[in-house]
């Protein structure tokens, strides 16, 4: 049998693994053991599964393969940020970032190879979407960063953000499966409260997700609350206009009781006027929310420039006066192109 014809064993559920052994007249609990090796222990080969007989390991190896990821290249930034170029089983590459702060380490993971959206300010958008990541490929990125966190910072990973390459809601089933594994005691056992899914805002997917009663956090990359402006920098806004997004966010809150975070960059000449601030304030009335003002990370063309301090302060003052929590996020890992919107497989 050719290697590529073998099935990836990690596509099998625990039940399916138990059935596999039972079907061959073997004990079903072997399925649990294999499952534990694959997910909890992150085994990359059947040889590692030392509580199975050699014979069993060989049988598994003739029928299945384990499509694990491989860190191709690791770069460490002066501020401690680690960027990994991660090679997938078919040779495609995505990037995953470890962001350490004083009391957290956050994994920023990718959900797609490239991206199908076309945000004008994002480096990933310049790569077309090549494919969705499988649940195990998302899970593996988290595993890799958890190991790096233990190695370099002597502590386990504390948070996960889906803010790497791709639009997680355009790879919805796989993202949900990965989160289920990450939060399951049979996987990494992380609390969903420590996970944030960031979307450019796909209304029908936000609704669908809300219906599943998730316990993770939602961030929406808003950047403008005026349709004309938003469509000019995020052209898919033509298809998913702000009114629909707003309703979907209100629905999310009604179903989950969880405040949405708006990610927002203030650019000179684009969204730095009083009318832009007023529109954001109005949009914030859709549901309880927080606003995260993020620093612009230049991606190599001069079309976009971070607005100077006074414009930023106008936003901060107005939001605070309206009782809305606002945070200002400074970029990390800029020197190695690991900051938001800079992930584009430069190597
Ligand atoms: N597709 C998802 C997640 C990936 S982008 C989303 O859009 O939310 C993660 C965040 O980085 C988003 O808020 C995005 O708007 C922001 N971003 C993209 N390019 C950026 C850049 N050049 N500088 C700063 N933030 C950027």
């Amino acid at each position: 049998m050719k290697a590529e014809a073998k099935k990836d064993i990690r596509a099998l559920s625990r039940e399916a693994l138990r059935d596999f052994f039972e079907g061959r007249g073997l004990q079903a609990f072997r399925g649990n053991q294999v499952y534990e090796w694959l997910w909890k222990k992150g085994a990359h080969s059947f040889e590692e599964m030392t509580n199975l007989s050699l014979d069993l390991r060989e049988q598994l190896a003739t029928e299945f393969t384990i499509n694990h990821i491989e860190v191709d290249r690791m770069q460490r930034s002066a501020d401690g940020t680690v960027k990994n170029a991660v090679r997938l089983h078919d040779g495609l590459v995505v990037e995953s970032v470890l962001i350490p702060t004083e009391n957290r380490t956050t994994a920023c993971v990718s959900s797609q190879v490239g991206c199908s959206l076309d945000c004008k300010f994002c480096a990933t958008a310049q790569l077309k979407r090549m494919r969705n990541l499988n649940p195990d490929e998302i899970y593996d990125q988290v595993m890799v960063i958890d190991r790096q966190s233990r190695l370099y910072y002597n502590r386990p990973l504390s948070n996960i953000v889906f803010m790497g390459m791709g639009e997680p809601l355009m790879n919805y089933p796989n993202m949900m499966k990965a989160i289920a594994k990450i939060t399951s005691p049979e996987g990494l056992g992380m609390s969903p409260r420590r996970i944030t899914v960031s979307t450019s805002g796909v209304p029908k997917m936000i609704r669908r997700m809300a219906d599943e009663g998730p316990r993770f956090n939602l961030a929406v990359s808003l950047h403008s609350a005026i349709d004309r402006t938003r469509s000019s920098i995020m052209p898919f806004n033509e298809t998913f206009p702000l009114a629909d997004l707003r309703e979907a966010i209100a629905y999310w809150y009604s179903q989950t009781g969880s405040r949405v975070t708006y990610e927002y960059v203030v650019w000179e000449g684009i969204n730095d006027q009083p009318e832009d601030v007023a529109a954001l304030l109005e949009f914030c009335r859709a549901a309880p929310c927080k606003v995260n003002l993020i620093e612009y990370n230049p991606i190599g063309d001069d079309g976009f420039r971070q607005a100077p301090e006074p414009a930023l302060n106008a936003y901060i003052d107005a939001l605070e006066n309206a009782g809305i929590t606002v945070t200002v996020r400074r970029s990390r890992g800029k020197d190695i192109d690991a900051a938001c919107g800079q992930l584009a497989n430069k190597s």
Side-chain angles (χ1 to χ4, degrees), residues 18-34:
R18 290 173 61 92
D19 292 347
F20 170 84
F21 284 101
E22 234 167 22
R24 279 159 182 72
L26 299 162
Q27 304 108 309
F29 83 92
R30 295 285 177 208
N32 300 352
Q33 289 178 317
V34 172

Side-chain angles (χ1 to χ4, degrees), residues 161-175:
V161 294
F162 282 78
M163 296 186 190
M165 294 174 149
E167 169 49 48
L169 296 196
M170 300 268 189
N171 185 16
Y172 180 76
N174 291 352
M175 173 201 81

Side-chain angles (χ1 to χ4, degrees), residues 121-122 162-164 166-168 198-200 221 223 263 265 294-297 299 340-341:
F121 47 82
C122 179
F162 282 78
M163 296 186 190
E167 169 49 48
S198 176
T199 176
S200 10
S221 303
H223 301 308
E263 294 164 279
V265 177
I294 50 187
E295 197 184 330
Y296 178 56
N297 303 307
I299 58 164
C340 268

Side-chain angles (χ1 to χ4, degrees), residues 259 262 280 289-293 312 315-321 323-329:
R259 278 199 292 175
Y262 298 125
L280 175 60
C289 63
K290 292 176 263 192
V291 174
N292 193 356
L293 294 175
L312 222 63
Y315 271 97
I316 297 171
D317 292 345
L319 289 164
E320 282 179 346
N321 283 338
I324 297 163
T325 309
V326 47
T327 50
V328 179
R329 187 166 85 205

Side-chain angles (χ1 to χ4, degrees), residues 111-132 162 164-171 198-206 219-221 223 230-231 233-240 245:
S111 55
Q112 298 181 313
V113 188
C115 190
S116 50
L117 298 179
D118 45 9
C119 305
K120 299 293 185 207
F121 47 82
C122 179
T124 307
Q126 295 167 0
L127 309 164
K128 63 177 197 322
R129 190 196 74 93
M130 283 168 267
R131 73 168 170 87
N132 286 336
F162 282 78
M165 294 174 149
E167 169 49 48
L169 296 196
M170 300 268 189
N171 185 16
S198 176
T199 176
S200 10
V202 189
K204 76 168 190 291
M205 297 313 295
I206 293 175
V220 174
S221 303
H223 301 308
R230 195 167 191 261
S231 296
I233 54 177
M234 302 167 85
F236 65 87
N237 185 70
E238 301 266 5
T239 322
F240 312 124
L245 180 58

